[in-house]
Amino acid sequence: PRLCPAAEAFAAESLRKKITDARGLRALATQLFIENGINNPILYFPCFYTVQAILHGDALTDGLVKYRKHYKEDILAIWRVWIPAQLLNFACSPLWLRVPFTACVSFGWTAYVSFTRGAKHDDEPQLIAAER
């Protein structure tokens, strides 16, 4: 609310009113940009790959190399899920529902990322990694 003070009121408005609420639409765009333009590409994936490298016993830099290798594909995948989800969440959810909604979407996203990027090495089939 501090960064986007119009967000709470905007979420409670009718769709008809939202379309003409310039201040609320700016708050919505700001929230979407922070999450999908800063958090996901710059914070989430580097953290994911470095933690994964550490847990696999690899060097921290190995995680960053993997991040750079998959950057474009990963960003497009996360945007396909989180932009629509956060658009719905920020535009329509009351503040009390935002965290539970995000947790539900995150559960599905985490399962997807674990399945697609969970192997220690990119050339290692997922089923073999799961059998260990």
Side-chain angles (χ1 to χ4, degrees):
R2 184 182 291 176
L3 188 59
C4 301
E8 187 173 6
F10 181 77
E13 292 176 346
S14 68
L15 182 59
R16 180 180 295 251
K17 192 164 183 180
K18 283 179 178 146
I19 293 170
T20 60
D21 182 353
R23 186 171 177 230
L25 289 169
R26 275 193 304 278
L28 177 61
T30 299
Q31 292 171 96
L32 288 171
F33 173 74
I34 290 169
E35 284 296 317
N36 296 289
I38 297 172
N39 182 47
N40 292 339
I42 298 171
L43 301 174
Y44 173 80
F45 278 115
C47 289
F48 171 79
Y49 283 119
T50 55
V51 169
Q52 183 185 51
I54 291 167
L55 293 175
H56 286 159
D58 297 331
L60 199 81
T61 54
D62 292 339
L64 295 176
V65 168
K66 197 171 179 183
Y67 165 66
R68 275 187 243 123
K69 179 180 180 181
H70 297 291
Y71 179 79
K72 289 180 184 177
E73 184 181 342
D74 288 345
I75 296 304
L76 291 175
I78 203 167
W79 284 349
R80 276 189 225 108
V81 172
W82 283 105
I83 289 177
Q86 290 170 335
L87 178 64
L88 178 65
N89 197 21
F90 295 145
C92 302
S93 295
L95 294 182
W96 64 267
L97 185 59
R98 289 185 181 189
V99 172
F101 177 84
T102 299
C104 290
V105 176
S106 186
F107 178 81
W109 170 253
T110 302
Y112 168 79
V113 171
S114 295
F115 181 74
T116 60
R117 298 289 187 239
K120 182 171 182 177
H121 302 289
D122 291 336
D123 57 350
E124 185 176 326
Q126 286 294 318
L127 293 176
I128 293 172
E131 292 172 2
R132 288 191 191 149

